[in-house]
Amino acid sequence: MRPLTDALLVIDVQNDFCEGGRLAVPGGAQVVPVINGLITEFQTVVLSQDWHPEAHSSFASQHPGRAPMEMIELAYGPQVLWPDHCVQGSTGAAFHPDLHRDRAQMILRKGTNRAVDSYSAFYENDRTTPTGLDGYLRNKGITSVTVVGLALDFCVSYSAVDAARHGYTVEVLTAACRAINVAGSLEAAMGDMTAAGVTITG
Ligand code: VGL
Ligand code: ZN
């Protein structure tokens, strides 16, 4: 069992990011048994859930003439346009049915502001609006976080980098992650995590 100061952060293991989902990450469901094993080792487990209102500004469907996976500029910077996904209350937004969610103390929903996307479990993509996760972890005396889930090159890496910036010791276990890899995003994410001092292990 890991010490009480370690938390497992399970990012967005939801139906829409798994095979058959609306933004399926290749091999997404393969992380589920690996993460179920990890969940037994940690005394603090946080699950995040991408949780968008219909008509979220990150959806290509909201931008006439634009297609999924194109980039645009929003008020807070560049934004990849996604297929509609993880709409609040939909089956796609639910956790993968095999994920052992019952041992989690905390479920954090993000991306609920229509105007701003939120990859990181700590901040919206404006990089200034906090979700409250830092306060939760700090208040419990957590000093080290292990980050796993979907997708490695978006929500996992953004969360890992923010955790490192907040002074946590951060480890990403790639065997429990899968990537989308659009326009060099995986290589960029690996560079960002390394630069932030995140330990990346296989
Ligand atoms: C994610 C793209 C859009 C993720 C969420 O969980 O990595 N990626 N929304
Ligand atoms: Zn999303």
Side-chain angles (χ1 to χ4, degrees):
M1 195 58 95
R2 300 282 190 119
L4 272 168
T5 49
D6 290 8
L8 180 67
L9 189 46
V10 180
I11 300 294
D12 300 1
V13 180
Q14 294 166 262
N15 290 321
D16 269 344
F17 296 122
C18 296
E19 289 76 355
R22 297 171 94 177
L23 178 41
V25 181
Q30 294 169 7
V31 304
V32 173
V34 185
I35 292 174
N36 284 343
L38 289 167
I39 283 175
T40 66
E41 292 178 27
F42 284 82
Q43 305 186 61
T44 295
V45 177
V46 176
L47 308 179
S48 77
Q49 210 170 10
D50 210 34
W51 198 252
H52 298 308
E54 285 177 32
H56 191 258
S57 59
S58 76
F59 296 171
S61 61
Q62 298 306 304
H63 303 271
R66 298 297 190 148
M69 304 305 177
E70 286 182 17
M71 293 281 291
I72 56 159
E73 283 293 323
L74 291 182
Y76 53 86
Q79 171 71 48
V80 181
L81 291 177
W82 302 111
D84 291 20
H85 65 278
C86 296
V87 172
Q88 296 169 1
S90 67
T91 306
F95 290 115
H96 186 287
D98 297 336
L99 182 69
H100 290 175
R101 73 206 79 184
D102 289 351
R103 284 209 46 250
Q105 286 84 0
M106 161 92 160
I107 294 176
L108 180 111
R109 289 171 168 169
K110 63 184 179 61
T112 58
N113 179 346
R114 184 180 174 276
V116 184
D117 208 357
S118 188
Y119 294 149
S120 168
F122 290 89
Y123 285 98
E124 294 187 357
N125 281 9
D126 61 9
R127 305 304 255 178
T128 56
T129 309
T131 62
L133 180 58
D134 179 50
Y136 174 79
L137 296 173
R138 205 163 293 279
N139 202 243
K140 283 172 69 76
I142 302 294
T143 57
S144 170
V145 294
T146 297
V147 191
V148 297
L150 305 171
L152 174 59
D153 44 347
F154 289 94
C155 294
V156 171
S157 72
Y158 273 64
S159 299
V161 166
D162 281 346
R165 284 190 184 139
H166 277 279
Y168 299 93
T169 302
V170 187
E171 171 187 47
V172 168
L173 298 178
T174 58
C177 300
R178 291 293 183 279
I180 296 173
N181 206 6
V182 52
S185 56
L186 180 56
E187 205 183 321
M190 292 304 228
D192 290 347
M193 289 191 285
T194 302
V198 173
T199 301
I200 303 168
T201 51

